[in-house]
Amino acid sequence: MIDEMAPEARVRGATALLVDDPRFDRHAPIGHHPERPERLTAARAGVARAAARFERVTPRAATDAELARVHDPRFVERLADLSGREGYLDPDTYVSAQSVDVARLAAGSLVAMVDAMIDGPLGKGVALLRPPGHHARPSRAMGFCLLNNIAVAAAHARSRGLERVAIVDWDVHHGNGTQEMFWRDPHVLYVSLHQSPFYPGTGNADEVGEGDGRGYCVNVPLAAGGGDGVYASAFERIVLPVVEAYAPELVLVSAGFDASERDPLAQMCLSPAAFGWMARELGRLADGSANGRMALVLEGGYDLVALEAGMRSAIEGMLSGRSADLPRGQDDPGVARAEQWARKAWAAVS
Ligand SMILES: [Zn+2]
């Protein structure tokens, strides 16, 4: 990867951890499906073009114990039974012969990256994972996702002694699986921006968590068509103040690139620069409270050009602290509604 970078890229920019493995490409659909191996080719091109250096994390499979922190062990067993077979688990979600092994490798490699962040000198990371994870529920694969990579990693960080982990999910779809896994848990803050109404149908502003977890789930549903200015407003009014107040010790980003203006599955209108700006702003907060620990974890993104450009922009924003500024003055009723609910829920916990 480093050899593919332009010479100036080797001297500019900081160093980040990188998770990638050619085996992720073995999760492959029968016939056409938007969640396809070419997505990682595009993401890898974004990584190669970013002004950054990377230190690779050695991939490894997640253990049963690591998965059991967020998944029902019976579900993991049922999934294991599918190894070597191919077919559809629901109308959206396929398995090919090696998909189950690949999914375990994706989740475990992100766990390995969290360990490297806690134990080593590098705080920032990029994880090019397939299959994606944020729709995977405790007992069910769903929405192209088999195992919930980011949730497994957040639970692992907790087991390593971190008290507060923030997951910011800017994938255009609501991360229903991640929300469900930490619904009653104040030690993992879940903040999602997503197109609404849209698949999977969850993520209304009034979904704020329950019990001890009430207030630690923040949903910002956005009407179709919103662009950079809407996301800037949502970040400045809700996402950044909430994450900053939480003072996370690790920031994990469910980094989908399907809110891009080019994406064929969704109708939001983000430019590549927006991903750089969001990553820059979250990187600033990670530098403040999390000893710099922040990971961009690939979720969706189905236009290959947008995926490459968004990935590159996000990496550079996160690492350099520099990015284009976004337009202001655009708003969405969902932002005001989410702000009301977030205020109310946070008043209850603070
Ligand atoms: Zn998505």
Side-chain angles (χ1 to χ4, degrees), residues 15-17 117 122-126 283 286-287 292-295 318-319:
T15 304
L17 296 162
M117 285 178 169
L122 296 177
K124 303 290 193 305
V126 179
D287 288 342
R293 290 186 289 251
M294 169 174 166
M318 174 176 75
L319 289 179

Side-chain angles (χ1 to χ4, degrees), residues 72-82 104:
D72 182 341
R74 288 166 301 182
F75 164 69
V76 176
E77 278 172 34
R78 285 202 306 275
L79 213 51
D81 290 341
L82 296 174
R104 287 189 82 120

Side-chain angles (χ1 to χ4, degrees), residues 134 171-173 258 300 302:
H134 72 155
D171 186 279
V172 79
H173 303 95
D258 41 8
Y302 304 97

